[in-house]
Amino acid sequence: SGGNFLQASGTTMYYNPAGSGSFKVLINATDAGSGVSNVTFPIAGAGWNPVAPGVDNTAPTPYEFLYDFTTPAGASPGLLNATASDNAGKSSTVGYTLTKDDTAPAGGLISYGSVVTNSTTVAITLGAGADAQAGLGTQTLERAVATYLNGVCGAYGAFGSLAVSPGVLYNDSTLLDGFCYKYQYTVKDLVDNTVTYTSASEVKVDT
């Protein structure tokens, strides 16, 4: 559990230190000879619980360990190694990685014409960019509206959601005569880092 602040990818868990959460690491360990004795899990560091290594000796596999974080400090814990031991004293390790992700997506765009138009539709070009860690998440096109009088836009209201996952080209066909429109594009990654792409353009409708 971690709300929007955790995202697993293979043996890597990405976490956003701006939030808090918890997750279990599951290790499949078997031994055809003397049998598995236990699996030992390491600590993750400052701001993480537990503060001491853990041991799971409860068969059957998988063996598990619960991590949680509230204020993880500093760099990522990185590669951690759990150790599986059998009843004959032999052991082997398996790794998993905890990686901090506090970087928002980048490289996106929003583009539309700054025009006075008699059309009630405007085409908006969008790019979500990329996210090198947890990956891209929710993408929301937002719109703000103002009155248009005597060639001047009034005060804009707050931006509100217009479309979720709008694609690379969105046609807003809900424009009304006598209003101005501005758009922005908010993109989150899978651990809730957020960037908003903006434009200085205004669409002024005069039919």
Side-chain angles (χ1 to χ4, degrees):
S1 63
N4 298 323
F5 301 109
L6 289 167
Q7 178 64 31
S9 177
T11 59
T12 297
M13 177 64 78
Y14 293 100
Y15 67 93
N16 186 341
S20 61
S22 62
F23 58 92
K24 285 182 179 179
V25 174
L26 305 178
I27 301 294
N28 283 308
T30 59
D31 186 273
S34 61
V36 175
S37 171
N38 61 69
V39 176
T40 302
F41 296 84
I43 63 172
W48 291 82
N49 288 311
V51 296
V55 178
D56 185 1
N57 56 11
T58 305
T61 193
Y63 296 84
E64 62 184 48
F65 190 62
L66 178 69
Y67 289 98
D68 71 75
F69 66 95
T70 51
T71 54
S76 302
L79 177 64
L80 303 178
N81 286 301
T83 301
S85 301
D86 68 12
N87 290 297
K90 299 189 294 290
S91 65
S92 62
T93 61
V94 60
Y96 49 95
T97 304
L98 308 185
T99 299
K100 176 173 69 175
D101 182 354
D102 57 2
T103 304
L109 63 90
I110 180 169
S111 178
Y112 56 96
S114 190
V115 294
V116 178
T117 179
N118 62 6
S119 174
T120 55
T121 299
V122 61
I124 305 160
T125 300
L126 302 162
D131 188 86
Q133 292 183 296
L136 292 175
T138 304
Q139 301 150 37
T140 306
L141 176 62
E142 299 163 337
R143 183 179 75 177
V145 183
T147 57
Y148 182 54
L149 183 64
N150 298 323
V152 177
C153 296
Y156 280 90
F159 280 93
S161 176
L162 179 64
V164 176
S165 300
V168 297
L169 180 64
Y170 184 86
N171 290 306
D172 182 6
S173 59
T174 63
L175 308 188
L176 297 174
D177 181 36
F179 289 90
C180 299
Y181 299 88
K182 295 177 71 172
Y183 300 87
Q184 65 182 27
Y185 190 35
T186 296
V187 179
K188 295 185 176 185
D189 69 10
L190 292 171
V191 292
D192 215 40
N193 295 302
T194 303
V195 61
T196 298
Y197 302 108
T198 62
S199 171
S201 295
E202 293 179 297
V203 179
K204 305 167 185 178
V205 182
D206 183 0
T207 61

